[in-house]
Amino acid sequence: MFGIKQPNAGTKNEDCYFSNGWLLNFEYLMPLASNRREVYEQQPPFPHLIISELIKPAAIDKILAEFPSASDQIKWHEREATLDNGSYASLKKKDSADFLQMGPITRQLIWELNSRPFIQFLQRLTGIPRLISDPLTYGGGLHETHTNGLLKVHADFQKHPLYGLDRRINVIVYLNKDWPEEFGGHLELWNEEMTECVERVLPTAGVCVIFNTNPTSFHGHPQPLTCPVDRSRKSIALYYYSNGRDDSKKSPQSYTDWKDPVI
């Protein structure tokens, strides 16, 4: 079946998979959702959960080996953007949802993250019913930021531009092995008043960050990357939607809302 790979015992890929033949450990995730739901909802500055070692290190190695280089035929979207004052909102950042040009392990991981079992996990964790994955992976897929790149703190667009669905959940899986603090690229989660960075997440391999998206879920990696030029900040990002919402005090925006800290 497309998207599911059941490795035979003794094959070179068996160390990528959990005992049930999946890259994701659903036997671990479902109880985790039940146990952490209350914590998730109350987590400041907005509901979120950080999971370390979502997939096995061997799977990370294979995804990194498949990660496209500049010479590959994959279609990238360059996301450089400037504000009215001339400062950068996004710099040296690109993404790709060119599924057919991705490697097989990468495709399988994205398929699993869009699968019914993972959506059931998200629903149980977040308490949001009837979540919908995005078949177009709009704005998601593979993400890469190069040296000196950044992504200013922002709240994401709240409406899918083609389907009109309400964006509810972000899931980011980081792929950066041997990534020390001094390389930077921390994901920052800011409070609604933009007076405090409440959480900083080093984007190390296997770490998964799940968080609610609403008009005040301010996040980004605003500090320029200081990694060597032969390294980059890599991740896989997927977004989940619902048909309507009742959790927001503000009208959902169809644009990215860039923010500066309040000093």
Side-chain angles (χ1 to χ4, degrees), residues 26 36-37 43 84-85 96 122 125-126 133 146 167 173 182 190 201-202 212-213 233 255:
F26 289 106
R36 299 300 298 274
R37 176 169 174 173
Q43 197 81 310
D84 291 341
N85 62 9
S96 178
L122 290 177
L125 174 68
T126 66
S133 60
H146 293 276
R167 183 167 170 178
V173 181
E182 54 265 29
W190 283 72
V201 183
L202 191 68
N212 282 16
T213 56
R233 183 185 190 270
Y255 55 88

Side-chain angles (χ1 to χ4, degrees), residues 57-78:
I60 294 286
D61 291 340
K62 292 186 179 297
I63 292 171
L64 286 173
E66 295 175 352
F67 205 93
S69 65
S71 61
D72 291 327
Q73 297 302 308
I74 195 166
K75 297 177 182 177
W76 288 103
H77 298 281
E78 301 292 340

Side-chain angles (χ1 to χ4, degrees), residues 159-173:
K159 288 283 188 179
H160 195 290
L162 297 178
Y163 302 142
L165 297 172
D166 296 271
R167 183 167 170 178
R168 306 300 299 276
I169 300 293
N170 282 13
V171 172
I172 306 172
V173 181

Side-chain angles (χ1 to χ4, degrees), residues 193-205:
E193 298 77 19
M194 283 299 298
T195 58
E196 180 185 6
C197 174
V198 178
E199 184 97 57
R200 297 178 78 243
V201 183
L202 191 68
T204 52

